[in-house]
Structure formats: structure tokens, C-alpha cells
Amino acid sequence: MSRLTVPKTYKLFIGGAFPRSESGRTYEVAAADGGFLANAAKASRKDARDAVVAARGAVAGWAGATAYNRGQVLYRIAELLEGRRAQFVAEIEEAEGVSRAVAGAQVDEAIDRWVWYAGWADKFAQVAGNANPVAGPYFNLSVPEPTGVVAIVAPQDSSLLGLVSAVAPALVAGNAVVVVASERFPLSAISLAEVLATSDVPKGVVNVLTGSPAEIAPWLASHADVNALDLVGAGALDWIDLEIAAADTLKRVHRPEQGADAAAPSLERIVGFTETKTVWHTKSLR
């Protein structure tokens, strides 16, 4: 008798744990050929609120860590992702219907982007900050600081690479993240959450929601404890309304991006979710 496969139900990732949706809802995730892959949790408004609470609780510790330490943690994610490369290649191959070579290239690029951003962790402040010339006996320094809690709608046409490309730059600066994964391709997002849970990323720094971005994004856009909104993957949504909702609480908003270069690695994506603190300090008269 041939062995039966064990259908899996993927859960959410909130506060370092893997809860089911509080609503109990799930949805079927289909393979590229239409076959059944797995069930994924369908996040509710309560799940989104719980994720924001977890992210808010993690901001102080993550932002307060040294830049060098944050770089070490991001590099550790790359190491663990490299160790589970075969799993991610298989998931992308089956979900997106691409060849093993194409799936492998996506995973390799995702690993490389973690490494690239890890390298910026203790360097971007020197590039984005400044010592300002002033007419007086003062030092005047501008220094980038994390915005706080960043809500992200990940690119919807990518299993893994788009998610990594959106999440990594927000983490570099010391922000905590609530990310809405691709609705069609959510499995790699939760598999990545399993990597995060076994790495050195503190609980609550990254929270992953699966389900409908059209349902979840408005709650995050209007949430008063979310400080910034990355709509990189929200091009198919009514994102203007999301931008308007975000304006009520003075959120920083990054608009949708399209095409293969969406969320491409850049210093601008790191600095885009920082605030600039300017400090005055008197010079010694001696």
C-alpha cells in the first residue's frame, strides 16, 4: 500500500509563536497545476492587532541593539536559509510552477539579499547621517533612527524573494515588522518564519500574516500604533484609500512598485523607514 501524504495547515507567526487565526479560518493553497498544496491560516482583524502589539513590544529591544549586533542577526538568517535551501526550492517550484533552476536562483538571491542588508547595518547611519555646518560654537549632528512599527504588504507574485526584499531593509534600521505575505504563495513566508524562530531574531521583531491583503491592509493602514506603511505589493489593491487612511495617523508611506525590480536592494529602502534626529552640542571654549 502506498503511503498517504500528510496535509499541512500553515499557521501565522506572531510574537515568536505560531498561532492559528483567532477566527479559525483557513484557505486552500493550490499548486501551479491546480492541485492541493496545503491549508494556510486566514488572518483576521484581531490577528493583525495582535501582530502590532507584538511588534510594538519588540521595537525598544531591537532598536536598542547595536548596529553590529543587528547585522550579525541578519547574517544568521542567511546562514539558516542556506541550510534549508532545498526545502525552499521545492516549495517555490511546486507553488509557482517554475523550473528547479529558476526556483534555486530565487532562493539564492533571497539569501544574498539578507547578506547585503546585513552588511549595511553598521554603515548606513554614516552615509545617511551628517555633521551640519552651523554659525556658532556648536556641533550639529543629524542621525537616522528607526521609525518604529512598519506594516508591509509584500509583493504578491513572489513566494520568497519579494518578502525578503521588503522585510530586510526595515529590520536593518531597527524597526519591527508586520508583513502580509503573498496570498497565492504564502507557504515560503511561513517557512521563512520557521527560520526566524530558530535564529537570533527576538520575538515580535517580525510577524507574518497570511490571508487576504485586501482585508488586512486597511486595518494596518488605520492602526494608530503603526508608524509606517510599505505598500510595495499593494498595486492591485485600492492603495490610494490605504494611503489616505495612513495619513490620519501621520504614517510614512512607501507606494506600490511594479515589475521584476520591485523592492530591489537599495540604501533608500533602509533610510525610507527612518526618522532623522538632530542634536546640538556646545563646543569646548578651552
Side-chain angles (χ1 to χ4, degrees):
M1 184 176 67
S2 61
R3 181 179 178 275
L4 296 177
T5 58
V6 180
K8 184 175 181 180
T9 297
Y10 286 72
K11 301 176 184 177
L12 308 173
F13 184 58
I14 299 175
F18 291 89
R20 302 179 189 276
S21 171
E22 63 83 30
S23 67
R25 298 180 303 170
T26 62
Y27 69 101
E28 290 189 4
V29 180
D33 62 6
F36 175 81
L37 270 183
N39 293 307
K42 192 169 186 178
S44 68
R45 183 174 188 173
K46 175 65 163 55
D47 298 319
R49 291 203 308 265
D50 289 346
V52 173
V53 169
R56 175 57 59 194
V59 166
W62 183 240
T66 66
Y68 180 73
N69 179 241
R70 285 199 297 272
Q72 288 178 309
V73 172
L74 297 183
Y75 190 84
R76 177 61 176 159
I77 296 171
E79 290 179 331
L80 293 177
L81 187 54
E82 180 83 51
R84 294 176 60 169
R85 182 181 183 278
Q87 174 195 346
F88 283 92
V89 169
E91 285 180 347
I92 293 171
E93 184 181 10
E94 195 168 18
E96 297 187 16
V98 297
S99 68
R100 182 169 294 272
V102 170
Q106 289 187 35
V107 176
D108 291 342
E109 181 63 22
I111 295 168
D112 291 347
R113 290 191 183 184
W114 281 120
V115 174
W116 192 85
Y117 279 114
W120 272 109
D122 60 353
K123 301 175 184 67
F124 84 91
Q126 286 84 346
V127 178
N130 196 32
N132 307 308
V134 292
Y138 306 99
F139 294 109
N140 182 256
L141 306 174
S142 294
V143 182
E145 292 191 335
T147 297
V149 175
V150 179
I152 300 171
V153 179
Q156 296 297 294
D157 56 356
S158 171
S159 298
L160 177 68
L161 183 57
L163 183 85
V164 170
S165 301
V167 169
L171 297 182
V172 172
N175 298 294
V177 166
V178 177
V179 59
V180 184
S182 169
E183 185 173 13
R184 287 177 58 206
F185 310 127
L187 305 190
S188 290
I190 298 302
S191 293
L192 179 63
E194 294 173 355
V195 168
L196 300 176
T198 55
S199 69
D200 299 323
V201 179
K203 295 179 180 179
V205 169
V206 180
N207 304 274
V208 181
L209 303 176
T210 55
S212 169
E215 182 180 350
I216 303 168
W219 300 326
L220 295 174
S222 61
H223 198 300
D225 215 19
V226 172
N227 303 108
L229 187 66
D230 188 351
L231 300 177
V232 59
L237 306 181
D238 192 350
W239 61 269
I240 295 295
D241 281 351
L242 297 176
E243 194 172 36
I244 292 171
D248 287 339
T249 49
L250 304 180
K251 289 179 179 60
R252 181 171 295 228
V253 178
H254 186 100
R255 290 182 168 182
E257 298 179 28
Q258 305 292 338
D261 291 332
S266 68
L267 178 62
E268 288 71 24
R269 288 200 67 83
I270 302 174
V271 177
F273 296 108
T274 63
E275 306 294 338
T276 300
K277 178 177 74 175
T278 300
V279 179
W280 294 75
H281 194 283
T282 56
K283 294 180 180 178
S284 172
L285 299 179
R286 297 177 61 184

